[in-house]
Amino acid sequence: DAKTTQPTSMDCAEGRAANLPCNHSTISGNEYVYWYRQIHSQGPQYIIHGLKNNETNEMASLIITEDRKSSTLILPHATLRDTAVYYCIVRRSGANSKLTFGKGITLSVRP
Amino acid sequence: DAGVIQSPRHEVTEMGQEVTLRCKPISGHDYLFWYRQTMMRGLELLIYFNNNVPIDDSGMPEDRFSAKMPNASFSTLKIQPSEPRDSAVYFCASSLAHGGNYGYTFGSGTRLTVV
């Protein structure tokens, strides 16, 4: 699976949009981009995933560049409860692909 | 749906003792995964099952670790004998299917402390 690169940390103000970047320059055509988050003392939580097209659900939006070498997770109106470690993961579509977590980015939402 | 259920939430044991962690996956999910999380190594996949059969145990650190899935609704991760370096949070996750288009649902984890 392709590697991902994320900043170590970032912060944003409550109520504003949080834009979390991720680089995956070696991504292959059959690899998905996944985002999970882990709030302190909880298990990782699935947020969203995509292959080529931009995706949106009730939690977030995922913007994937046309060349698929980078993506951005957007939390449109961040709240204090969105403070967490966010993991960007690239994963193959095959049956034996694993979900491998890196270090992620720590998002701190300030009041 | 109650989600993935793990027990106990916390476990403190003495070095050398046997420890058993338990997991109940989401009903209907065919895949079950065991992860371990430490500050030093982050989240590591230990083993995963498909339809109760172990598929990949390459992440299991040593022979002291073993995992079983006797039926579709229950799995255990056993450490015997336990050592202080096994102290970590152990997560169980389940998935409807495998492959790139399916996400995992994680449990709340078991925090293991070996003294």
Side-chain angles (χ1 to χ4, degrees):
Chain A
D1 296 334
K3 281 193 170 182
T4 63
T5 304
Q6 299 178 257
T8 303
S9 63
M10 67 177 291
D11 63 13
C12 76
E14 188 177 19
R16 305 297 294 268
N19 298 292
L20 286 70
C22 180
N23 286 322
H24 30 79
S25 58
T26 60
I27 192 169
S28 302
N30 66 345
E31 290 181 316
Y32 288 79
V33 179
Y34 271 81
W35 283 85
Y36 280 75
R37 74 178 181 183
Q38 189 173 22
I39 296 170
H40 183 62
S41 297
Q42 297 182 21
Q45 177 189 23
Y46 166 81
I47 301 174
I48 199 167
H49 75 281
L51 184 61
K52 296 180 183 177
N53 300 321
N54 297 337
E55 302 288 344
T56 295
N57 63 21
E58 66 278 4
M59 290 183 68
S61 295
L62 173 61
I63 309 298
I64 303 174
T65 58
E66 194 168 340
D67 63 8
R68 302 185 70 239
K69 293 185 177 183
S70 65
S71 59
T72 301
L73 179 74
I74 301 173
L75 308 178
H77 306 286
T79 71
L80 299 179
R81 287 176 293 182
D82 291 323
T83 293
V85 179
Y86 287 77
Y87 298 96
C88 172
I89 302 167
V90 168
R91 183 180 173 211
R92 288 179 292 112
S93 61
N96 292 323
S97 67
K98 304 173 189 177
L99 200 64
T100 302
F101 290 80
K103 297 186 187 303
I105 178 173
T106 299
L107 173 68
S108 299
V109 180
R110 60 181 187 276
Chain B
D1 195 332
V4 176
I5 300 172
Q6 292 186 246
S7 64
R9 283 283 277 143
H10 302 274
E11 177 81 37
V12 180
T13 190
E14 292 186 348
M15 183 174 65
Q17 296 298 306
E18 176 181 302
V19 176
T20 300
L21 311 181
R22 296 172 177 79
C23 175
K24 176 179 169 55
I26 291 174
S27 177
H29 280 194
D30 291 335
Y31 286 83
L32 183 139
F33 308 85
W34 282 100
Y35 281 80
R36 177 174 69 174
Q37 186 172 34
T38 61
M39 288 293 291
M40 291 295 294
R41 301 175 67 91
L43 272 159
E44 305 172 278
L45 176 64
L46 301 178
I47 185 172
Y48 76 91
F49 294 81
N50 176 27
N51 291 324
N52 316 335
V53 176
I55 301 300
D56 186 343
D57 65 355
S58 59
M60 296 285 263
E62 301 172 31
D63 290 346
R64 298 183 297 107
F65 286 69
S66 63
K68 293 183 180 179
M69 193 164 184
N71 58 61
S73 59
F74 184 64
S75 176
T76 59
L77 178 67
K78 184 180 294 185
I79 307 173
Q80 180 185 21
S82 58
E83 296 182 4
R85 60 193 168 118
D86 301 331
S87 297
V89 181
Y90 290 81
F91 289 103
C92 176
S94 70
S95 174
L96 182 62
H98 209 199
N101 202 25
Y102 295 92
Y104 298 2
T105 302
F106 283 80
S108 300
T110 295
R111 181 173 295 277
L112 173 65
T113 303
V114 183
V115 298

